[in-house]
């Protein structure tokens, strides 16, 4: 059902509790914490500008990292207030704590058209517990609630759900910010009745993570392309030799059911027909956490399916790239979630980049609607400089996946119906 958005709300002079996603990467440089990627902050600027135009008193709340309910100076939102202030060209006040006297005083001092950023809500364990008393304190004197943090909407936390309930109980409107509105439009409405041919591309590590998405999309897709490690569980189900590829033997029956459903519904389900394989060896190195690092040696292309017992499939091969790109070229709607291989290693990124190019090309050439369902596919597209060429790149990871599964996200459910 359609949710209220800030376009529908009259917020003149109102105190608006605004949940944003400022979970930004921070790095220490010369004793100061520096934000290394501003994407999440800039993504909220259109919403903030609209709220400012309306003369709202804006109270911003977010989490940053996983401080586990304790004050953790390395996860402070203070640097974000300074950056946001520069981006908006106006002052953004900062409250040392998201509840208590610091927050109350700062909120009381807010005038129409002014902004206040509260300290990390996860410094309090009650945030993740969605504690009702904490939500009431966090809400302060808010008369309206806005959620622009799609990436956190799958969590029923105090700032994503509890505060909305408090505000709604006061008779205040709860609406989506402009970023949230777009996420709901592209991952929701557009995929409800996609223009055909609808091509879905799924990759990544595990079938178990994405089976609900596969199952739901088999109801709508014309073509389903499966790459990444996930493809090897399907191959195992078909009796192929998968060597040392990452597989989930306990998901074989699930993969077989998906293959049967695809056949029954006339969905063209394509799996890899060739592979880039490499030999994993324990090179004696360890990562930062002391875990052994696997090195991949002797990469080579293998036509057909049977990998040697010592080899793992790490990317789709060139013939598969051709098949997948041909399917993508004819699409009018495309949804992509998950890389085609271990793209973090440049040697195994070609399949993912080729698919990214084909998606961008289909969008440019005949206006296909291309939706990238968050996480690693977004990283890969941006690395290849193709991010600007697709219709929508979701800002959610887990939230996008749950939304695509058809789940009701608590942070969305809490918003007022239009
Ligand atoms: P996901 O979060 O499920 O989308 O999975 C992304 C991860 O899957 C990335 O870190 C990739 O390196 C990994 N991945 C993709 N293909 C393979 C593969 N063939 N073997 C091992 N890992 C893979």
């Amino acid at each position: 059902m359609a949710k209220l958005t800030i376009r529908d709300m009259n917020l003149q002079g109102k105190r608006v509790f605004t949940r944003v996603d400022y979970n930004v990467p921070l790095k220490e440089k010369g004793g100061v914490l520096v934000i290394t990627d501003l994407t999440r902050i800039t993504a909220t600027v259109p919403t903030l500008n609209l709220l400012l135009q309306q003369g709202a008193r804006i109270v911003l709340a977010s989490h940053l990292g996983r401080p586990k309910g304790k004050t953790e100076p390395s996860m402070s939102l203070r640097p974000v207030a300074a950056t946001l202030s520069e981006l908006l060209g106006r002052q953004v006040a900062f409250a040392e704590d998201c509840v208590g006297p610091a927050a109350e005083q700062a909120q009381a001092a807010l005038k129409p058209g002014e902004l206040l950023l509260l300290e990390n809500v996860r410094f309090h364990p009650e945030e993740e517990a969605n504690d009702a008393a904490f939500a009431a304190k966090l809400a302060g004197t808010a008369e309206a609630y806005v959620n622009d943090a799609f990436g956190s909407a799958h969590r029923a936390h105090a700032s994503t759900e509890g505060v909305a309930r408090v505000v709604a109980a006061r008779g205040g409107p709860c609406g989506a910010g402009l970023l949230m509105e777009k996420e709901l439009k592209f991952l929701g409405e557009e995929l409800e009745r996609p223009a055909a041919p609808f091509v879905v591309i799924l990759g990544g590590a595990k079938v178990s993570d994405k089976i609900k998405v596969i199952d739901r999309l088999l109801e709508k897709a014309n073509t389903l392309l499966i790459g990444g490690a996930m493809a090897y569980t399907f191959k195992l189900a078909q009796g192929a030799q998968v060597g040392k590829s990452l597989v989930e033997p306990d998901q074989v029956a699930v993969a077989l059911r998906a293959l049967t459903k695809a056949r029954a519904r006339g969905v063209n389900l394509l799996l890899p027909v060739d592979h880039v394989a490499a030999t994993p060896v324990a090179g004696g190195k360890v990562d930062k956490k002391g875990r052994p690092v696997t090195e991949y040696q002797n990469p080579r292309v293998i036509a057909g399916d049977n990998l040697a017992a010592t080899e793992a499939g790490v990317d789709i091969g060139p013939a598969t790239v051709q098949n997948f790109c041909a399917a993508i070229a004819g699409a009018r709607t495309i949804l992509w979630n998950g890389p085609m291989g271990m793209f973090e290693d440049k040697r195994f990124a070609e399949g993912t980049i080729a698919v990214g190019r084909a998606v961008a090309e289909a969008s440019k050439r005949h206006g296909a609607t291309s939706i990238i369902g968050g996480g690693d596919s977004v990283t890969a597209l941006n690395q290849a400089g193709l991010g600007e060429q697709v219709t929508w790149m979701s800002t959610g990871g887990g939230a996008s996946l749950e939304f695509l599964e058809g789940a009701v996200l608590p942070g969305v459910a809490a918003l007022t119906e239009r």
Side-chain angles (χ1 to χ4, degrees), residues 202-345:
L202 292 178
K206 291 179 174 174
V207 172
S208 54
D209 284 348
K210 297 192 182 158
I211 188 57
K212 285 196 197 141
V213 176
I214 297 176
D215 200 53
R216 179 155 185 263
L217 290 171
L218 278 172
E219 318 261 332
K220 297 185 188 289
N222 302 100
T223 300
L224 176 57
L225 311 175
I226 296 184
M230 211 162 64
Y232 294 103
T233 299
F234 281 84
K235 290 286 177 186
L236 191 65
Q238 291 177 328
Q241 304 291 326
V242 296
K244 287 205 152 48
S245 305
L246 184 63
V247 284
E248 293 172 284
D250 62 337
Q251 295 294 312
V252 159
V254 166
L256 280 175
R257 270 203 298 280
L259 290 168
T260 307
K261 182 165 177 175
R263 256 194 314 276
R265 300 195 65 90
V267 178
N268 185 22
L269 191 155
L270 299 186
L271 289 167
V273 293
D274 61 349
H275 312 269
V276 175
T279 309
V281 286
K285 287 188 194 149
V286 289
D287 67 11
K288 277 187 209 152
K289 290 185 178 161
R291 291 174 303 207
V293 176
T294 305
E295 284 173 23
Y296 288 85
Q297 298 179 345
N298 307 322
R300 66 185 184 110
V301 171
I302 294 185
D305 271 337
N306 292 324
L307 279 82
T310 52
E311 286 180 320
V314 288
D315 194 6
I316 55 175
T320 308
V321 165
Q322 247 180 22
N323 291 350
F324 283 14
C325 291
I328 295 165
R332 286 188 59 211
T333 311
I334 301 165
L335 171 68
W336 179 23
N337 181 296
M340 297 291 102
M342 292 173 52
F343 77 105
E344 296 92 341
D345 185 326

